[in-house]
Amino acid sequence: MGISSGPKPFLTVGVLFILLSPATGFSAPGRPRVINCRSPEKETFTCWWEPGDDGGLPTTYALYYRLEGSETIYECPDYKTAGENSCFFSKNDTSLWVDYNISVVASNDMGKSVSEPVEVDVVYIVQPNTPESVMVSVLEDNHGPYLRVDWEKPQSADTRSGWITLVYQLRVKQAKDETWEEYDAGMQKYYNVFSPHSGKEYMVQVRCKPDHGFWSEWTTPVYIQMPDYMPKVRSMWIMVAVISAFLILLFAWTMNVKQNSVKHCLLPPVPGPKIQGFDQQLLKNGKSEEMFNALVIPGFPPTSTYEDLLVEYLEVYDDEKRELVLNEKNLIEGSMKSKSTSSDNDSGRGSCDSRTLLMEKCVDESGTEQELSQYGEASWASSDSEGRDNPASPGLEDGKVQMWPSVFSSPQSHNFQQQHPGGLRASHHSVPEISCVSPQVQTCCGQQDQLEGFQFSKPGLYRYAQMYSMDTIECKHVAQEPQSQSQSQSQSAEYVEVQTVNQENVLLVTPLSNPEGPNPELSDFSGEDYSKVRDVTSDNVLLLQRDLSVSQFVGDYCQDQIGQVDPCFLQQQQQEQTCKLNAHLHHPASALQEDMRLAGNGYVDTTMMMS
Amino acid sequence: MARRSQSTRLHLAVTILMCAFVSTDGVDMNDLLERASQLSDKLHSLSTSLTNDLDSHFPPIGGKMMRPSMCHTSSLQIPNDKDQALRVPENELLSLARSLLLAWSDPLALLSTESTTLPHPERSNINSKTKELQDHTNSLGAGLERLAFKMGPSSEALSSLPFYNNNLGQDKISRLANFHFLLSCFRRDSHKIDSFLKVLRCRAAKMRPEMC
């Protein structure tokens, strides 16, 4: 055949060759790249590379390294341990504090490519493995529950010898949250997380780092569920509130019950005045009398005895042998004492005894005494039944004649005698009576011859005085003159007025209301509305007289009737009711009935009437 | 008899004092090692930070030309791995640490001097850190010296690692390159010191297992 085809086949082969060659990757591989080298425990390390384009052909990679200061190139001893595209340097192949110059060569059929060299010092590429055995638990203490995280160091790291020193770090977050809370745990292998929220789920991760190196990867998260719980603080406050409320209620109830005593304790009542014996209840009851009676203190006001109020004895003396003594004394007392003591020798002066009615003292006593004694006996005899026992029986003393009022009871009138005791006994007078009628009394007394008569007449006077009081001693100087004077003289027993006491200790007396003459004025004495008694019947009935009669008439009448009577005596009796009575007694029928008039003052003395 | 009694008494007293001294030293050594390791850790961190500052603006242009093997302390024989390091006795480890630290006193002074005029944007930062580096190195050196005294006379032997350069260069690039190189050497050596001291710390603190 002649090889004379020409240029066409040559051109075809060339075109086919050009077209087919790119599709098969026939090129040298691209440059790989060393990614990083790491040493987990500072004893070994591993390098990883990234392959480049392989060029379409099976490419092999080789790692070559060179130590500094030497030119010897070593190839990676272990491509398998660390995985694909890695080189693992074992302990024997690892040197510290030496720079490694590592490069990777990719080669294929087409060519080779070399990566960039990397300077690596092992001590600078330390990155430990992740911590292991991470455990999370919920614990409780006084403040409440908390999380406790425990872990272990990575096994490869030799911290025990101090070859490597690890510090740890953990992070916690709630499962639903986004942000983590990181905590540095230092070199310890546990950590407490406080105040977690109750009822929430938490995630915990831990990592570590060498003293001069890289942080490890985080561990796989550990999930923990917090239980539901009540904070103790809140429960404590609730209990405190309940107890305090209970205590407040109890206190309020107690105060309410005891409010009175509390009020008394806090606000003590102001003490009021206390009066002894004062009872408020009596006052409230309205019985003021009882209350005031309670206030009365016995013994107050001090009541003085009646005796203290009395005036002392008044002694009146008559210097002319006659002594008239007036004694006044407590009538009450005197009445009692008069019966006890018969004589009272208070002084030798012949003072009047309080209990006894005094007689004037006559000079001539002997005769007087005799007569007196006779008379006295007679009178006594008549009234012995009643007069004897009278303690007031007069004792005839020297110079002193004391005659009882009973003496006055004239023998003529039994009535008198009878009345005497009554008069004696019933005599209570508070007012002494000085019935010295007139100066004539003196003279009368001065006359001895009339003394006897006077004495006799005295009983009338004395008796008159005695009618009022036993103790009242009336010294009556009844001057009885002879008949001529008797009439003019009104020896009335009316009250006299003591004017003066002369130098001779003689009482000068004047009639009270009738200085002129008693006679015509006798009726004036009875100017008051006094009723004159005419008569006293046997039935003790007073017969009152209608009108008054002239004393003179009476005097005459008396005189007529009682002739035997001593005129002095008769005159005396004119003034008295007894005159009339005497007349009535002796001449009861006619005289009295006709002229039942009362002379003098018609003063009725009930004591005389009593029969 | 009297003399013997006196001599025995004297020996007894000395023995008691020595025991007390040693016992107290044990406690003190742990604290000293703890303090030293903290300082060394601080030292290395500073150097790393300084290196980062230096490389922030300039790529490590001189990194390829000057290798760490050219450091003036490279001649010192040190353990390269853990097994070797754990086999080294304590006093030798301490001696190595002290030798390294001592070798860097002069270069650090140079660096401190050069940092003031270093044509670098981070010069102030670099300057302050360089100064701090120098201070820590000095205090650590003093502590290690005291530690060596407690450990015994064998730790007193130090390797001499002289440094002959007195300047970093004339031009800007040289200076920067040299500064960078020295700093890198120091960084590594500080790491060595830190590692050795931490090994010593864990080896001495047998009573406190939680620390290691």
Side-chain angles (χ1 to χ4, degrees):
Chain A
M1 107 187 266
I3 302 166
S4 61
S5 57
K8 282 190 180 175
F10 187 75
L11 288 174
T12 307
V13 170
V15 171
L16 286 171
F17 185 78
I18 293 168
L19 290 174
L20 289 174
S21 62
T24 58
F26 295 96
S27 66
R31 294 183 70 174
R33 192 174 66 87
V34 177
I35 303 171
N36 58 353
C37 296
R38 287 290 182 261
S39 170
E41 70 282 272
K42 205 159 70 172
E43 300 172 27
T44 65
F45 72 101
T46 307
C47 285
W48 292 272
W49 68 85
E50 180 184 44
D53 183 25
D54 58 352
L57 291 172
T59 310
T60 59
Y61 298 92
L63 188 141
Y64 297 100
Y65 65 91
R66 190 172 57 87
L67 296 176
E68 66 176 89
S70 119
E71 296 294 326
T72 311
I73 297 175
Y74 301 94
E75 188 175 357
C76 173
D78 187 345
Y79 289 102
K80 302 286 196 269
T81 308
E84 188 77 20
N85 299 326
S86 67
C87 179
F88 174 77
F89 294 84
S90 63
K91 291 185 182 180
N92 297 330
D93 301 323
T94 305
S95 296
L96 295 175
W97 298 293
V98 175
D99 282 344
Y100 279 75
N101 195 325
I102 297 168
S103 60
V104 175
V105 175
S107 61
N108 57 3
D109 295 336
M110 296 298 291
K112 290 181 183 179
S113 63
V114 181
S115 64
E116 290 284 332
V118 173
E119 293 280 336
V120 175
D121 196 341
V122 178
V123 294
Y124 297 145
I125 56 166
V126 180
Q127 185 180 20
N129 295 329
T130 62
E132 299 174 358
S133 304
V134 178
M135 294 183 295
V136 182
S137 58
V138 179
L139 299 181
E140 288 197 11
D141 64 347
N142 296 331
H143 302 283
Y146 62 95
L147 292 174
R148 180 178 173 91
V149 186
D150 293 289
W151 60 87
E152 295 295 331
K153 70 169 181 69
Q155 287 185 349
S156 58
D158 183 13
T159 58
R160 185 62 187 88
S161 63
W163 185 245
I164 187 167
T165 305
L166 295 176
V167 292
Y168 300 94
Q169 194 181 55
L170 75 157
R171 66 179 184 180
V172 181
K173 81 173 179 70
Q174 294 186 13
K176 299 175 183 178
D177 284 352
E178 295 295 332
T179 57
W180 291 88
E181 290 182 7
E182 295 185 354
Y183 307 99
D184 289 326
M187 291 170 66
Q188 61 192 20
K189 299 180 182 62
Y190 64 92
Y191 198 77
N192 297 327
V193 180
F194 293 104
S195 302
H197 299 167
S198 64
K200 297 296 177 66
E201 189 180 20
Y202 282 90
M203 296 169 58
V204 178
Q205 286 184 320
V206 186
R207 69 175 184 181
C208 57
K209 184 179 85 73
D211 47 0
H212 308 286
F214 299 97
W215 282 104
S216 68
E217 297 293 330
W218 289 105
T219 58
T220 56
V222 179
Y223 294 89
I224 184 73
Q225 179 69 37
M226 285 295 299
D228 296 330
Y229 72 99
M230 171 76 81
K232 285 187 180 179
V233 175
R234 194 180 303 174
S235 64
M236 182 189 73
W237 283 113
I238 289 172
M239 188 179 297
V240 167
V242 168
I243 290 174
S244 60
F246 176 72
L247 286 176
I248 288 170
L249 285 174
L250 188 67
F251 183 70
W253 178 76
T254 306
M255 290 287 286
N256 187 26
V257 168
K258 304 273 186 184
Q259 63 181 355
N260 289 330
S261 63
V262 168
K263 199 185 301 179
H264 185 80
C265 178
L266 291 178
L267 306 172
V270 177
K274 191 164 182 62
I275 302 172
Q276 186 178 8
F278 190 81
D279 192 358
Q280 283 188 351
Q281 285 299 325
L282 288 177
L283 185 64
K284 287 179 183 176
N285 294 334
K287 300 177 182 177
S288 60
E289 293 180 357
E290 295 178 4
M291 180 193 68
F292 290 129
N293 288 335
L295 292 174
V296 173
I297 299 174
F300 185 84
T303 59
S304 60
T305 57
Y306 190 54
E307 185 179 5
D308 297 339
L309 295 178
L310 288 181
V311 181
E312 291 297 327
Y313 286 142
L314 181 60
E315 297 185 358
V316 178
Y317 290 96
D318 187 70
D319 58 348
E320 296 181 1
K321 301 179 182 178
R322 273 191 301 243
E323 293 179 358
L324 274 180
V325 180
L326 286 175
N327 278 340
E328 297 177 9
K329 226 182 185 181
N330 188 353
L331 295 175
I332 298 174
E333 190 180 52
S335 65
M336 302 306 295
K337 290 182 184 176
S338 62
K339 295 180 181 179
S340 61
T341 58
S342 63
S343 67
D344 185 9
N345 299 325
D346 43 3
S347 66
R349 296 179 60 197
S351 59
C352 287
D353 189 6
S354 60
R355 298 164 190 78
T356 60
L357 203 55
L358 239 205
M359 309 292 288
E360 69 269 14
K361 185 168 97 177
C362 297
V363 176
D364 188 1
E365 298 174 357
S366 61
T368 305
E369 293 177 357
Q370 288 177 359
E371 300 232 356
L372 188 62
S373 64
Q374 288 178 2
Y375 178 77
E377 293 175 357
S379 65
W380 279 335
S382 60
S383 64
D384 59 351
S385 63
E386 300 168 340
R388 286 286 173 101
D389 55 347
N390 285 336
S393 61
L396 296 176
E397 297 178 355
D398 297 337
K400 190 183 225 180
V401 178
Q402 296 178 349
M403 292 189 73
W404 279 104
S406 60
V407 174
F408 296 144
S409 62
S410 62
Q412 296 94 3
S413 63
H414 180 70
N415 271 344
F416 292 110
Q417 294 171 2
Q418 291 179 348
Q419 292 170 357
H420 269 292
L424 266 177
R425 294 189 186 116
S427 65
H428 286 277
H429 256 251
S430 62
V431 178
E433 294 175 355
I434 305 173
S435 57
C436 291
V437 180
S438 63
Q440 295 172 355
V441 177
Q442 288 184 353
T443 58
C444 179
C445 292
Q447 297 174 4
Q448 295 183 358
D449 54 351
Q450 290 184 354
L451 186 61
E452 301 171 2
F454 182 73
Q455 291 181 347
F456 284 124
S457 64
K458 278 184 184 178
L461 273 178
Y462 284 105
R463 188 186 62 191
Y464 176 75
Q466 197 64 32
M467 291 175 190
Y468 295 92
S469 76
M470 274 185 68
D471 296 334
T472 304
I473 298 170
E474 296 177 355
C475 298
K476 295 181 179 179
H477 293 253
V478 178
Q480 292 189 354
E481 294 187 3
Q483 299 175 355
S484 61
Q485 297 179 350
S486 66
Q487 292 182 359
S488 62
Q489 284 185 354
S490 60
Q491 296 179 350
S492 61
E494 74 276 11
Y495 291 100
V496 298
E497 184 178 1
V498 178
Q499 288 186 340
T500 53
V501 177
N502 62 6
Q503 297 177 354
E504 299 165 350
N505 293 328
V506 176
L507 276 175
L508 302 177
V509 298
T510 56
L512 270 177
S513 58
N514 294 327
E516 300 172 4
N519 264 341
E521 299 168 356
L522 284 177
S523 62
D524 294 338
F525 284 94
S526 59
E528 301 174 1
D529 295 334
Y530 289 109
S531 302
K532 294 187 178 181
V533 177
R534 289 182 63 190
D535 189 8
V536 177
T537 61
S538 60
D539 296 333
N540 293 330
V541 175
L542 292 173
L543 299 178
L544 298 179
Q545 189 178 351
R546 297 177 192 171
D547 48 3
L548 299 175
S549 64
V550 181
S551 62
Q552 184 179 359
F553 179 76
V554 175
D556 292 339
Y557 170 73
C558 288
Q559 194 174 9
D560 293 338
Q561 296 299 327
I562 308 174
Q564 295 177 359
V565 182
D566 186 69
C568 199
F569 178 73
L570 188 63
Q571 289 174 357
Q572 291 178 5
Q573 304 209 345
Q574 286 175 357
Q575 313 301 326
E576 302 173 357
Q577 301 168 357
T578 55
C579 174
K580 188 179 74 174
L581 292 172
N582 288 331
H584 173 68
L585 287 172
H586 292 285
H587 301 280
S590 60
L592 283 176
Q593 288 178 356
E594 290 180 358
D595 299 323
M596 292 295 291
R597 297 179 188 171
L598 197 62
N601 56 350
Y603 209 67
V604 177
D605 189 3
T606 55
T607 57
M608 296 301 295
M609 295 302 173
M610 294 174 68
S611 60
Chain B
M1 289 294 291
R3 289 183 181 179
R4 284 185 181 178
S5 63
Q6 288 180 355
S7 61
T8 51
R9 285 180 184 177
L10 185 62
H11 289 162
L12 187 62
V14 170
T15 307
I16 290 170
L17 286 173
M18 289 294 286
C19 288
F21 188 67
V22 169
S23 62
T24 55
D25 281 343
V27 175
D28 291 341
M29 189 172 290
N30 279 335
D31 296 336
L32 281 172
L33 281 170
E34 180 70 29
R35 176 64 179 159
S37 42
Q38 289 177 358
L39 271 174
S40 63
D41 191 283
K42 179 70 173 170
L43 203 62
H44 182 71
S45 301
L46 269 173
S47 63
T48 305
S49 148
L50 194 55
T51 305
N52 292 335
D53 293 338
L54 205 60
D55 293 337
S56 61
H57 289 80
F58 297 105
I61 53 179
K64 293 213 183 341
M65 291 168 23
M66 289 177 284
R67 308 295 288 264
S69 58
M70 296 169 64
C71 293
H72 68 286
T73 58
S74 59
S75 62
L76 191 62
Q77 295 294 320
I78 53 169
N80 290 327
D81 57 5
K82 177 185 119 179
D83 297 333
Q84 294 179 8
L86 292 181
R87 284 195 293 266
V88 176
E90 296 84 15
N91 53 1
E92 189 172 341
L93 277 176
L94 185 61
S95 175
L96 290 171
R98 287 182 65 207
S99 301
L100 285 171
L101 200 62
L102 201 59
W104 278 102
S105 61
D106 292 339
L108 281 175
L110 181 60
L111 283 177
S112 172
T113 308
E114 292 288 334
S115 64
T116 57
T117 59
L118 199 66
H120 197 277
E122 296 284 340
R123 182 175 60 199
S124 60
N125 227 2
I126 293 168
N127 191 23
S128 62
K129 288 180 181 178
T130 308
K131 293 289 188 298
E132 195 174 351
L133 218 61
Q134 192 177 10
D135 296 335
H136 285 294
T137 303
N138 293 332
S139 57
L140 184 60
L144 289 179
E145 185 176 353
R146 188 176 175 192
L147 203 64
F149 177 76
K150 291 182 181 297
M151 276 189 173
S154 57
S155 62
E156 300 285 344
L158 288 179
S159 300
S160 172
L161 301 168
F163 183 70
Y164 297 112
N165 292 340
N166 54 359
N167 61 6
L168 294 179
Q170 301 303 323
D171 59 330
K172 174 182 169 182
I173 297 179
S174 301
R175 290 176 66 192
L176 284 171
N178 290 332
F179 194 94
H180 179 78
F181 174 71
L182 278 174
L183 197 57
S184 65
C185 289
F186 178 76
R187 184 184 171 205
R188 180 181 288 178
D189 290 340
S190 63
H191 192 278
K192 291 176 185 175
I193 296 166
D194 185 48
S195 296
F196 295 155
L197 291 176
K198 285 176 180 176
V199 168
L200 285 174
R201 178 181 72 175
C202 284
R203 193 177 296 182
K206 292 177 182 178
M207 294 179 288
R208 296 183 293 177
E210 67 279 2
M211 293 296 292
C212 298

